[in-house]
Amino acid sequence: MNEILLPVIVLGALGFIFAVALGLISSKFKVETSVTEEAVRNALPGANCGACGYPGCDGCAEAIAKGEAPVSACVIGGPTTTKAVAEAMGVEAVSSDNRQVAVVKCNGDCESAKDLFEYSGLEDCRAQIALFGGKKECNYGCIGCGTCEKTCPFDAIHVHNGVAKVDRDKCVACGKCVAACPKDIITLVPYDQKAVVLCSNQEKGKDARKKCDKACIACTLCAKTYPEGFEMKKNLSVENIDPNLDVELLQQAADKCPNKCIEVFN
């Protein structure tokens, strides 16, 4: 019996000693936070998503309290959180209308975009690019493996029929999908932007059309229909981000597009 009890007693004693030692060390080396930093931390939502660019809400609160980040650093909290943080800092919250949203500049779904081969492997866009250069014949097209979908902490982007689509109401413009996309076809645009060209192919029209039925072929019809809304750059139509553009004229230009690669938001 003593052979069993002795190890138990020794382990219990060691556990107690280590617990006390850790408590003392933790108390001695504890990093004190200022009252302001603590107040800012309490004003943040606590999602610890990292969308602000700092290591969680604690890191964001520290940066704001030190003046290294603006009171609007929390992108997912919106105006309500910004106001609360400003009050914690003792400053006035400046109204901001610069909300952004992610856009996937591709419309090449499974029926439209041509494949070079059938891919069977790790469902990760970056891995496919590294190993095979991507299965899509269009070098500017969405691969559709869903790396952006897996990266988004807000369930705001999903792959539908081989191409990623953004839920504008859920997107908080954290930029994680932008950083994750190996094709660089996801970008942040103003939320109040009225139209977007869903293509990134800069090849000549006939070459782009061979690879995707929904590619911009640089026909210039949109720019001719509404010059204030669209212009041609590098064989590609580029939309104007001015929120005051006429939606009806933008829609008329979109209707002229033979491949229907322009989306208009009302």
Side-chain angles (χ1 to χ4, degrees), residues 63-264:
I64 293 173
K66 290 181 177 179
E68 297 173 355
V71 294
S72 59
C74 178
V75 295
I76 70 165
T80 302
T81 297
T82 297
K83 182 180 179 181
V85 171
E87 290 178 353
M89 289 290 293
V91 299
E92 183 178 353
V94 179
S95 177
S96 177
D97 298 320
N98 60 348
R99 180 183 173 185
Q100 292 185 308
V101 65
V103 168
V104 181
K105 302 278 281 185
C106 177
N107 204 29
D109 55 29
C110 293
E111 289 75 32
S112 305
K114 311 299 189 297
D115 288 343
L116 291 170
F117 53 83
E118 184 176 343
Y119 174 74
S120 179
L122 181 64
E123 287 298 309
D124 185 276
C125 300
R126 295 164 296 191
Q128 190 181 133
I129 287 287
L131 294 174
F132 306 103
K135 69 175 182 178
K136 294 289 185 183
E137 191 170 345
C138 175
N139 290 327
Y140 301 87
C142 175
I143 296 176
C145 283
T147 300
C148 55
E149 179 179 339
K150 300 179 184 74
T151 302
C152 180
F154 307 103
D155 193 40
I157 185 168
H158 295 278
V159 175
H160 296 286
N161 197 22
V163 63
K165 296 291 183 181
V166 176
D167 186 329
R168 288 167 56 85
D169 294 327
K170 290 183 178 180
C171 179
V172 300
C174 68
K176 290 194 172 183
C177 60
V178 177
C181 179
K183 287 296 188 74
D184 295 324
I185 59 171
I186 305 179
T187 185
L188 297 180
V189 303
Y191 184 83
D192 55 6
Q193 180 175 313
K194 295 296 189 295
V196 62
V197 178
L198 298 176
C199 183
S200 301
N201 196 326
Q202 298 177 10
E203 297 176 289
K204 292 182 178 180
K206 63 177 183 178
D207 297 324
R209 182 62 183 270
K210 288 179 182 178
K211 298 175 181 179
C212 180
D213 294 335
K214 291 185 177 179
C216 173
I217 56 174
C219 66
T220 73
L221 285 175
C222 58
K224 290 178 180 177
T225 303
Y226 191 20
E228 292 79 9
F230 302 92
E231 63 177 320
M232 307 307 298
K233 292 182 179 180
K234 297 180 180 179
N235 298 315
L236 184 67
S237 174
V238 178
E239 71 278 358
N240 189 334
I241 66 172
D242 185 354
N244 299 313
L245 292 175
D246 190 305
V247 176
E248 291 187 6
L249 292 177
L250 286 170
Q251 189 60 60
Q252 290 177 20
D255 293 339
K256 290 284 186 179
C257 176
N259 290 343
K260 307 304 177 188
C261 59
I262 299 176
E263 185 175 4
V264 178

Side-chain angles (χ1 to χ4, degrees), residues 57-68:
C57 291
D58 287 341
C60 183
E62 181 181 359
I64 293 173
K66 290 181 177 179
E68 297 173 355

Side-chain angles (χ1 to χ4, degrees), residues 4-44:
I4 297 175
L5 288 177
L6 183 60
V8 172
I9 294 173
V10 171
L11 287 174
L14 288 174
F16 177 77
I17 293 171
F18 287 142
V20 172
L22 287 173
L24 292 173
I25 293 172
S26 176
S27 176
K28 182 176 181 59
F29 293 98
K30 180 182 178 181
V31 177
E32 298 292 337
T33 59
S34 66
V35 175
T36 301
E37 181 180 333
E38 189 172 343
V40 171
R41 177 62 184 84
N42 292 333
L44 296 174

